[in-house]
Amino acid sequence: MFKNSPAVKASVAMLLVLLAGGCATGIGQSLPYDGWTLDFFGPPYMEAWIETADVVDINGRVFRGAGSGGVSTGYPTAFSKGIPTKFRGNPKGWAEHPGGSGRRVTGAGLPRLVYVRWQSLAEPQTYEAYIEIPEPARTTMLKGEEAYCGAAGKWKTDYRKLLIIGLAPGGIAKVYLGGPCLKSTEVTRVVGTINPEGPYGGTSNGKHRPLSEESKAYIDQFGIPYGSW
């Protein structure tokens, strides 16, 4: 695990300055692939909504809105209707090799810092977190690994170009690296803080997005497993 350091605080200060000045553009650092992806997920029933996810690359450039919207949770499923007679998802802890959904960050160099502000709909609460991507993780993103791709039915050289962030109640952000044919591995864990402005920067009178009927029923019955993430 990697804890906050003076370097993190300096990165945060730089991010705030750059965000105030708008989005920088330009050609990203040479990579062995055309772009990496910023993905998000959450434990079953612990729904979240990303207000913004902004990235600072190793060249100090900011890519705003690299992530936004709903977070993949597994349960409720995309086909869920109403409240099930039996809850099959288990929100305690993290999956061994999690994946997620998100967007490709093109034109960027390797990620140095990710800022995420999100609504934890399960509580509800609004959090923000500054996540420093350690240098060993960036080195790993450049290293090709031999992997068997089931979809293609053959071995190939793959790269860990999927930056996967799990968001959980309590402001927890867990970061993994994965590849299209590689299992994800843990990078770091960050505990975010409550955003004092509340949801939508204080423009919604404190109202968060609604929790789905199924997730609400699960939480009403079993509660939120704080401490398991």
Side-chain angles (χ1 to χ4, degrees):
M1 298 296 172
F2 300 82
K3 297 182 178 180
N4 285 351
S5 64
V8 176
K9 295 179 180 179
S11 296
V12 170
M14 176 176 287
L15 174 62
L16 294 176
V17 170
L18 291 171
L19 285 178
C23 179
T25 60
I27 301 174
Q29 179 191 10
S30 178
L31 300 172
Y33 37 82
D34 60 0
W36 51 273
T37 300
L38 181 62
D39 289 337
F40 291 92
F41 75 100
Y45 309 112
M46 304 294 113
E47 297 177 45
W49 181 268
I50 299 171
E51 292 189 348
T52 188
D54 306 315
V55 173
V56 179
D57 73 5
I58 59 173
N59 301 312
R61 293 173 301 146
V62 176
F63 295 79
R64 301 188 67 177
S68 63
V71 170
S72 174
T73 58
Y75 288 91
T77 68
F79 305 102
S80 294
K81 293 182 179 180
I83 301 173
T85 56
K86 181 179 181 180
F87 293 101
R88 300 186 181 278
N90 182 3
K92 294 181 179 179
W94 301 103
E96 186 176 2
H97 300 291
S101 60
R103 303 174 184 172
R104 178 173 293 185
V105 184
T106 56
L110 293 172
R112 183 164 62 87
L113 188 74
V114 179
Y115 167 77
V116 187
R117 186 176 71 249
W118 77 99
Q119 297 178 27
S120 174
L121 309 183
E123 298 175 88
Q125 189 58 268
T126 304
Y127 295 101
E128 61 184 351
Y130 297 91
I131 306 168
E132 182 184 36
I133 307 303
E135 185 174 354
R138 294 196 295 269
T139 300
T140 298
M141 293 179 73
L142 296 174
K143 181 181 177 182
E145 301 180 42
E146 290 301 307
Y148 182 78
C149 284
K154 61 181 181 180
W155 287 83
K156 61 172 288 185
T157 300
D158 198 15
Y159 293 89
R160 296 187 181 277
K161 55 184 179 180
L162 308 179
L163 184 63
I164 307 164
I165 301 178
L167 300 176
I172 306 301
K174 193 78 169 283
V175 184
Y176 299 81
L177 278 179
C181 304
L182 295 167
K183 293 181 178 179
S184 54
T185 58
E186 182 180 338
V187 172
T188 189
R189 177 181 182 273
V190 173
V191 180
T193 58
I194 295 174
N195 185 290
E197 293 182 335
Y200 299 110
T203 62
S204 64
N205 295 319
K207 293 182 179 180
H208 292 80
R209 292 183 63 87
L211 187 64
S212 72
E213 184 181 23
E214 182 174 339
S215 293
K216 183 179 185 305
Y218 179 93
I219 293 169
D220 287 345
Q221 183 172 347
F222 301 104
I224 298 174
Y226 290 109
S228 68
W229 303 297

